[in-house]
Amino acid sequence: MAEHLASIFGTEKDRVNCPFYFKIGACRHGDRCARLHTKPTISPTLVLSNMYQRPDMITPGIDSLGAPLDPRQVQQHFEDFYEDLFKEFSKYGEIECLNICDNLSDHMVGNVYVQFREEEQAGEAFRNMNGRFYAGRPIIVDFSPVTDFREATCRQYEENVCNRGGLCNFMHLKKISRELRRQLFGKHRHRRSRSRSHSPGPRSRGDRRGERPSGGRGYGRREDDRGERYHDRGRSARSPSPSGRGGRRDRPVRENSEERRAKIAQWNREKEQ
């Protein structure tokens, strides 16, 4: 019974816990929902409810004074906010992603999701950011159950075909420019890629032999070595000799299912005789 409940937790079959809250971290029914909204006590993801205020929130393309807004001004306003938030939260740890909803529904409008690499980092940010203010508005921080934003994001919105617009119940994530993304996330990704261990492929073996890491003749030699090994494998499969080039044994040719069934039948007949 416990295994069954664990397997359906947070799905449509779960009649106790709200699947929308589990997947998106927000539910349009709010406290009136017939299912439970179980807030996690610790999570790598934080949610700042209704944090982002668009300059054209009342009427798209029009500011609060009724003057038209240039879309570039709206995007610049958003990117300034995004950069402020990123720099402040990055003080507490490495940020995996920072997502801001462009939805218009009350339960999702302006929601900000900050996902850290470690839960402890999110906990530190939670303790330090709660109760602070941004642009005169209090910052409300909670742990969020969302860990996979691919499941929470509206795919139709990403393809520009969502017919629900801002009232969609899945996340419409506002995008930043490539330059700003490279500026903010580039350092973290570069540091992680250098610390990450590489598999002992032809390139890493070539580096250990003192070849150049990239470019020039060293790169070309690694490509040639890789091509030679590929062709060697092809020749060894056709070679009748028991050992291939360099003293290695040839790998046996894998039989298909029909050949295996025929061999088993032959073994059975020999055993009966």
Side-chain angles (χ1 to χ4, degrees):
M1 184 65 179
E3 293 181 358
H4 173 69
L5 292 176
S7 66
I8 65 173
F9 179 80
T11 66
E12 292 293 339
K13 295 180 181 180
D14 190 348
R15 298 301 176 187
V16 178
N17 300 284
C18 176
F20 256 97
Y21 180 78
F22 180 74
K23 185 182 294 185
I24 302 175
C27 172
R28 62 189 177 93
H29 298 294
D31 296 335
R32 300 188 306 274
C33 184
R35 304 184 193 184
L36 294 178
H37 294 174
T38 306
K39 292 184 179 182
T41 56
I42 189 67
S43 170
T45 307
L46 299 176
V47 57
L48 289 70
S49 301
N50 311 125
M51 176 72 179
Y52 176 61
Q53 300 285 309
R54 290 177 54 120
D56 58 345
M57 181 171 291
I58 300 175
T59 305
I62 305 295
D63 65 9
S64 58
L65 300 176
L69 279 172
D70 189 332
R72 290 174 296 183
Q73 292 178 325
V74 176
Q75 183 65 22
Q76 187 60 50
H77 178 273
F78 168 71
E79 293 192 357
D80 290 343
F81 171 82
Y82 191 102
E83 187 174 1
D84 286 346
L85 220 60
F86 185 94
K87 290 182 177 179
E88 189 63 31
F89 274 89
S90 62
K91 296 176 182 177
Y92 306 104
E94 183 174 345
I95 296 176
E96 287 284 329
C97 60
L98 172 59
N99 292 322
I100 300 177
C101 290
D102 202 25
N103 303 65
L104 298 178
S105 302
D106 291 340
H107 65 293
M108 295 184 71
V109 58
N111 283 4
V112 176
Y113 296 85
V114 187
Q115 187 176 48
F116 287 89
R117 191 175 185 186
E118 304 292 342
E119 290 182 345
E120 293 77 11
Q121 298 170 348
E124 184 70 14
F126 173 82
R127 288 187 291 272
N128 284 276
M129 294 300 293
N130 251 325
R132 293 179 59 180
F133 288 79
Y134 181 86
R137 300 177 64 249
I139 300 175
I140 303 172
V141 187
D142 283 309
F143 290 111
S144 173
V146 180
T147 55
D148 187 356
F149 285 93
R150 293 172 299 180
E151 294 294 325
T153 304
C154 175
R155 295 181 178 88
Q156 286 78 15
Y157 172 76
E158 294 181 342
E159 299 171 358
N160 295 321
V161 294
C162 180
N163 55 11
R164 294 193 176 188
L167 299 179
C168 181
N169 286 321
F170 287 90
M171 291 184 187
H172 288 189
L173 299 181
K174 198 167 177 63
K175 298 182 191 246
I176 59 174
S177 64
R178 291 183 180 179
E179 291 76 13
L180 181 58
R181 181 166 296 278
R182 191 181 302 113
Q183 173 188 340
L184 298 178
F185 289 94
K187 293 182 180 179
H188 294 294
R189 292 179 180 176
H190 180 65
R191 190 184 304 120
R192 195 189 314 167
S193 64
R194 291 183 63 181
S195 62
R196 191 177 294 163
S197 60
H198 298 280
S199 60
R203 182 169 183 173
S204 59
R205 286 197 297 266
D207 292 342
R208 286 196 296 269
R209 288 196 299 267
E211 295 181 2
R212 298 179 182 177
S214 63
R217 288 174 294 180
Y219 181 79
R221 288 178 61 186
R222 285 195 297 275
E223 291 293 331
D224 295 341
D225 292 345
R226 208 158 40 230
E228 287 178 5
R229 278 190 291 273
Y230 174 79
H231 292 302
D232 288 344
R233 285 198 297 269
R235 285 195 294 269
S236 63
R238 294 190 297 269
S239 174
S241 61
S243 61
R245 190 174 177 179
R248 293 182 180 178
R249 289 186 176 273
D250 294 342
R251 295 179 181 177
V253 179
R254 187 173 181 178
E255 301 169 338
N256 57 37
S257 57
E258 294 182 0
E259 291 173 340
R260 287 196 297 272
R261 283 196 295 267
K263 184 174 288 187
I264 293 172
Q266 182 180 354
W267 288 341
N268 292 335
R269 287 195 298 269
E270 291 175 355
K271 188 182 295 185
E272 291 175 357
Q273 293 175 358

